[in-house]
Amino acid sequence: MSLDPDDPRTPSQQIAAALRAEIKTGKFAPGEKLPSQHDLVERFSVARETIKAALRKLQEERLIVTRQGSGTFVRANTERPVGLRPHVERAFEATNVTIDFAGFSGETLYNAIQETLDKVRIGRLTPESIRVRVLISDMTAPMAIPCRAEDQADDPAIRDRARRITDRSIHAVTDAVQELADLGLVKTATADVRVHNAAPLFKLFIINEQEAFFGFYPVVEHTVMIDGKPMAIYDAMGKDAILFPFTPSDEDASNDALYVEQARAWFDSMWGTIAREYTS
């Protein structure tokens, strides 16, 4: 692509405009990696410093982020929801993978990582270690939600239903991670689960201690079968929780970096204090 010599903008401004348009029109999707600086130098036939200047402009506009050793990526815009799976898959390109999850049943966690774990199983992704930590609500204890919609009262049968869903998801996650270690596909792989007595109001993912994704659980009324009979309950609906990303770059001094730092501190504080070992 040749730059326009009659354009009053500098070459770096023209390049920034071209890349901006491609990001805005979806040619490069949120979370997608941009071409390398070398490839951009060849594409626009300019010096590397000109490319760096164009990329700095897009960083200032919060359109892209640069991660040392990984490249430049389209920022996952915090004003709209994102899909978690591409970020998880990219995280597994690292040598040591860590995923911390706090939420309700762990169903979203399993859905987000199952395809990526399959790629480790067939050798397409090759991390040396995987560590997964899961914080979930203890459904053996009374909770604000789920509860009966009629009087908002706690009901052990409703919590038993939620616990069965949780057991299914948690076993799927822990078994899939442990299998990778058992097969010798990674040097170490652990999945630890702890519970606490706080009601499930939000979900949080912290990936490789560098990115955080947060979403509120909407509380909705719906009818489920309890002991063979329909019952209206108030429940936290994970599938309706929109995730918003916080993905600081190497040069980012914004609230994204502070949020990730505080999310990690919150998770560790819960893990090391009121959380206790999960038993199915």
Side-chain angles (χ1 to χ4, degrees):
M1 175 179 176
S2 299
L3 301 180
D4 184 355
D6 295 325
D7 193 319
R9 297 174 297 179
T10 65
S12 65
Q13 290 173 330
Q14 290 187 55
I15 294 168
L19 294 175
R20 184 187 302 110
E22 291 175 348
I23 292 171
K24 295 284 190 180
T25 58
K27 180 176 180 180
F28 296 113
E32 185 175 347
K33 187 175 182 178
L34 290 181
S36 68
Q37 291 186 16
H38 174 76
D39 290 340
L40 292 174
V41 165
E42 291 193 348
R43 174 184 171 184
F44 291 102
S45 300
V46 295
R48 185 179 292 268
E49 288 304 314
T50 302
I51 295 298
K52 289 181 177 179
L55 295 177
R56 281 197 298 271
K57 175 64 175 173
L58 298 180
Q59 282 181 324
E60 292 169 0
E61 297 174 11
R62 294 178 59 80
L63 287 175
I64 61 173
V65 294
T66 301
R67 300 187 181 91
Q68 186 175 5
S70 298
T72 301
F73 300 84
V74 177
R75 179 182 289 275
N77 193 331
T78 55
E79 295 181 353
R80 59 183 176 183
V82 298
L84 185 66
R85 194 170 299 166
H87 297 269
V88 171
E89 182 168 331
R90 187 173 71 239
F92 272 72
E93 296 174 0
T95 301
N96 302 301
V97 178
T98 64
I99 297 179
D100 291 335
F101 168 78
F104 192 178
S105 68
E107 190 172 16
T108 303
L109 172 62
Y110 179 66
N111 290 337
I113 69 173
Q114 60 174 326
E115 288 188 9
T116 301
L117 294 180
D118 286 340
K119 291 181 179 180
V120 176
R121 196 173 292 109
I122 64 176
R124 290 180 59 186
L125 294 169
T126 57
E128 290 186 4
S129 70
I130 300 170
R131 187 208 70 191
V132 178
R133 295 191 298 176
V134 181
L135 273 175
I136 53 176
S137 300
D138 184 1
M139 286 296 131
T140 65
M143 292 278 162
I145 52 172
C147 65
R148 292 199 303 257
E150 180 183 12
D151 54 7
Q152 299 183 28
D154 173 69
D155 190 319
I158 296 174
R159 285 190 281 108
D160 284 344
R161 171 185 175 274
R163 184 176 174 83
R164 289 193 299 272
I165 295 172
T166 297
D167 284 346
R168 184 169 62 244
S169 300
I170 292 302
H171 283 304
V173 170
T174 56
D175 289 349
V177 172
Q178 184 59 48
E179 182 186 36
L180 298 179
D182 294 342
L183 294 174
L185 298 175
V186 293
K187 290 182 179 179
T188 61
T190 60
D192 298 315
V193 185
R194 295 186 182 181
V195 296
H196 55 79
N197 286 351
L201 300 177
F202 62 85
K203 67 174 70 174
L204 170 70
F205 291 84
I206 305 171
I207 300 177
N208 285 357
E209 300 184 347
Q210 297 175 344
E211 295 181 289
F213 298 82
F214 178 91
F216 291 103
Y217 286 128
V219 178
V220 301
E221 179 179 345
H222 66 122
T223 300
V224 298
M225 297 301 293
I226 302 292
D227 296 330
K229 297 179 181 179
M231 178 183 293
I233 69 171
Y234 286 139
D235 203 2
M237 297 300 287
K239 67 181 180 62
D240 295 329
I242 295 174
L243 284 174
F244 293 92
F246 297 84
T247 57
S249 70
D250 292 335
E251 302 176 4
D252 198 353
S254 71
N255 286 337
D256 282 27
L258 180 60
Y259 183 91
V260 173
E261 176 186 326
Q262 290 301 303
R264 290 170 54 189
W266 174 86
F267 191 99
D268 288 339
S269 71
M270 289 285 288
W271 190 265
T273 56
I274 65 173
R276 55 196 180 277
E277 186 177 355
Y278 165 83
T279 56
S280 61

